[in-house]
């Protein structure tokens, strides 16, 4: 198998595709219901393989033969920011439509599946949702491994996501080593596995029984120590996107003392600096909080000011503020500047990026774990040889 084929469920604007293609995989089928996301996807990848429809209208008999199926299904019912209805919710419950399609494919179902969602999936309904999701894959013959990967290892964005890798059958290749010890609460985890298995996941694994699981996704990707300065667009002083004096003053008034001190400390330095901030509600009052580190917070599906991320630029003893641009958000997701977002508005592009995956995370998973379990070498492995 030189170039594994991929079916991309809940495809969004296509960042899973961008990630697996960087590893040398070939996406031959994609599906999403959003015309806006489809516009971005088709501008970058074409639309020949894209089915714009509700996943409930997809039938296994209509699916092409593929080696891998990916699913970044809706997180709204699993997210801590949502109502926590879990897989019983209307949106996150679409996961079972993905499983249904796999079941309808019968003996043609793909050899591997890669599923992505928020880490709060682990605790949703006391762990029952994740247990049920894994059990559904087990019933189709998939043995599963779980890991949490943080985008900050690749890009300057704090964005942890849970990944489930399922392999059809019980014989995982020996080239993908298993853990030598059980990383549960009793052992506190191994040094090698701690990075991909935070305490919440280790607790879930320790108390889970009756599931077909393996533990092969180990290790931590090398950190490139990415910095926010690497993604910031250098906008001129006259750019209208900078907030005016009145809005900047309102921003300053709502800064808690500790956060105002962070900006003041940066103003005392000779070099320009950038920080990100979110608007929060503390004690019934809206405030702005500025990160202390040089990375961005997790991008969200921006629908308004409370979910958008602001950029604070400090230079020459003063600071100014604006919203982060869609291009900056694309860079935070590992997308090159050539990625075409001209077919949608700025807010639609922000939503698309906030609802997507981080490209180099997907490439790393495809290269380090998916390719080996399929017994192939990825494009990156070939390039390094």
């Amino acid at each position: 198998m030189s170039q594994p084929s991929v079916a991309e469920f809940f495809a969004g604007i296509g960042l899973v595709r961008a990630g697996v293609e960087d590893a040398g995989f070939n996406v031959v089928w994609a599906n999403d219901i959003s015309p806006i996301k489809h516009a971005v996807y088709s501008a970058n990848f074409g639309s020949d393989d894209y089915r714009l429809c509700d996943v409930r209208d997809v039938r296994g008999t209509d699916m092409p033969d593929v080696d891998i199926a990916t699913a970044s299904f809706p997180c709204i019912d699993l997210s801590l920011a949502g109502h926590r209805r879990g897989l019983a919710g209307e949106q996150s419950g679409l996961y079972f439509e993905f499983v249904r399609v796999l079941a309808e494919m019968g003996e043609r179902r793909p050899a591997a599946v890669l599923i992505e969602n928020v880490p709060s999936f682990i605790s949703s309904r006391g762990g029952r949702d994740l247990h049920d999701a894994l059990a559904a894959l087990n019933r189709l013959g998939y043995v599963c491994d779980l890991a949490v990967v943080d985008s900050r290892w690749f890009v300057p964005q704090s964005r942890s996501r849970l990944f489930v890798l399922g392999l059809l059958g019980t014989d995982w290749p020996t080239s993908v080593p298993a853990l030598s010890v059980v990383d549960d609460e009793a052992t506190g985890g191994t040094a090698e596995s701690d990075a991909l298995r935070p305490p919440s996941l280790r607790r879930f694994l320790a108390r889970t029984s009756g599931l077909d699981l393996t533990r092969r996704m180990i290790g931590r990707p090398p950190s490139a120590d990415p910095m926010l300065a690497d993604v910031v667009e250098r906008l001129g002083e006259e750019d209208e996107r900078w907030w005016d004096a009145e809005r900047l003053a309102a921003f300053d008034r709502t800064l808690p003392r500790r956060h105002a001190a962070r900006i003041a400390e940066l103003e005392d330095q000779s070099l320009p600096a950038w920080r990100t901030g979110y608007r929060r509600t503390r004690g019934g009052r809206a405030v702005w909080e500025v990160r202390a580190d040089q990375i961005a917070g997790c991008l969200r599906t921006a629908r308004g000011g409370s979910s958008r991320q602001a950029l604070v630029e400090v230079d020459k003893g003063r600071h100014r503020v604006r919203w982060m641009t869609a291009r900056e958000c694309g860079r935070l997701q590992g997308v090159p500047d050539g990625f075409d977002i001209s077919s949608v508005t700025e807010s639609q592009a922000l939503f698309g990026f906030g609802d997507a995956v981080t490209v180099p995370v997907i490439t790393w998973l495809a290269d380090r774990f998916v390719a080996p379990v399929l017994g192939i070498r990825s494009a990156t492995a070939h390039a390094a040889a």
Side-chain angles (χ1 to χ4, degrees), residues 70-85:
T70 68
S72 295
F73 65 99
C75 69
I76 187 168
D77 299 306
L78 300 169
S79 172
L80 295 176
H83 298 290
R84 298 287 274 171
R85 297 186 181 95

Side-chain angles (χ1 to χ4, degrees), residues 74-93 96 120-121 123-126 128-129 132:
C75 69
I76 187 168
D77 299 306
L78 300 169
S79 172
L80 295 176
H83 298 290
R84 298 287 274 171
R85 297 186 181 95
L87 294 184
E90 181 179 357
Q91 296 299 312
S92 297
F96 290 114
S120 52
F121 190 9
S123 60
S124 179
R125 295 200 306 148
R128 290 190 305 251
D129 281 328
D132 292 348

Side-chain angles (χ1 to χ4, degrees), residues 363-378:
T363 303
W364 181 74
L365 286 167
D367 173 58
R368 178 65 179 81
F369 300 107
V370 182
V373 302
L374 293 176
I376 63 170
R377 299 177 74 195
S378 70

Side-chain angles (χ1 to χ4, degrees), residues 44-110:
N44 290 279
F45 306 105
S47 58
D48 291 347
D49 305 317
Y50 197 111
R51 281 204 59 190
L52 179 60
C53 68
D54 192 319
V55 68
R56 286 170 285 205
D57 295 330
V58 176
R59 296 292 175 264
T61 52
D62 300 330
M63 293 291 297
D65 291 344
V66 292
D67 303 304
I68 306 157
T70 68
S72 295
F73 65 99
C75 69
I76 187 168
D77 299 306
L78 300 169
S79 172
L80 295 176
H83 298 290
R84 298 287 274 171
R85 297 186 181 95
L87 294 184
E90 181 179 357
Q91 296 299 312
S92 297
L94 292 173
Y95 167 81
F96 290 114
E97 293 297 321
F98 165 70
V99 174
R100 172 190 58 77
V101 174
L102 296 180
E104 290 177 355
M105 292 180 72
E107 294 184 357
R108 295 191 306 113
R109 57 186 177 275

Side-chain angles (χ1 to χ4, degrees), residues 147-333:
V148 174
V149 183
D150 196 332
S151 297
R152 69 190 302 168
W153 298 333
F154 302 87
V155 295
Q157 178 193 180
S158 175
R159 187 185 188 87
S160 292
R161 288 295 183 265
L162 173 70
F163 290 89
V164 176
L165 174 59
L167 181 67
L168 202 57
T170 58
D171 296 325
W172 284 58
T174 56
S175 60
V176 187
L179 291 180
S180 58
V181 299
V182 177
D183 56 339
D184 57 17
E185 275 190 303
T187 65
T190 67
E192 193 173 27
S193 65
D194 275 346
L196 297 187
R197 292 191 176 84
S200 60
L201 181 52
R202 294 202 300 271
R203 287 193 294 269
F204 172 84
L205 294 171
R207 65 173 181 260
T208 295
S209 61
L211 293 176
D212 293 328
L213 303 178
T214 187
R215 303 185 187 191
R216 306 286 176 139
M217 288 196 285
I218 59 176
R220 174 175 176 160
S223 176
D225 195 25
M227 307 290 280
L228 187 62
D230 298 333
V231 305
V232 171
E233 288 194 272
R234 306 305 198 261
L235 304 186
E237 291 190 11
E238 302 305 316
D239 194 293
E240 62 182 12
R241 285 169 286 188
W242 292 112
W243 294 355
D244 61 24
E246 181 179 353
R247 192 171 187 181
L248 180 60
F251 171 86
D252 290 342
R253 284 195 301 270
T254 64
L255 283 170
R257 184 176 303 174
R258 177 164 55 99
H259 297 266
R262 287 174 182 167
I263 295 177
E265 183 178 351
L266 292 172
E267 289 177 335
D268 290 337
Q269 299 177 7
S270 58
L271 296 175
W274 294 268
R275 296 293 186 271
T276 57
Y278 270 119
R279 193 162 59 192
R280 312 284 193 188
T281 300
R282 306 293 187 192
R285 186 171 70 94
V287 299
W288 277 98
E289 296 181 347
V290 177
R291 288 185 68 102
D293 53 18
Q294 299 185 54
I295 65 172
C298 182
L299 295 182
R300 303 179 183 180
T301 48
R303 295 183 185 274
S306 62
S307 60
R308 290 190 67 181
Q309 200 161 176
L311 181 79
V312 181
E313 180 179 276
V314 182
D315 192 19
K316 299 176 182 176
R318 64 186 182 91
H319 67 279
R320 53 186 179 176
V321 182
R322 60 173 171 81
W323 295 118
M324 293 199 76
T325 67
R327 183 55 63 197
E328 288 166 337
C329 291
R331 293 171 180 174
L332 287 173
Q333 291 288 46

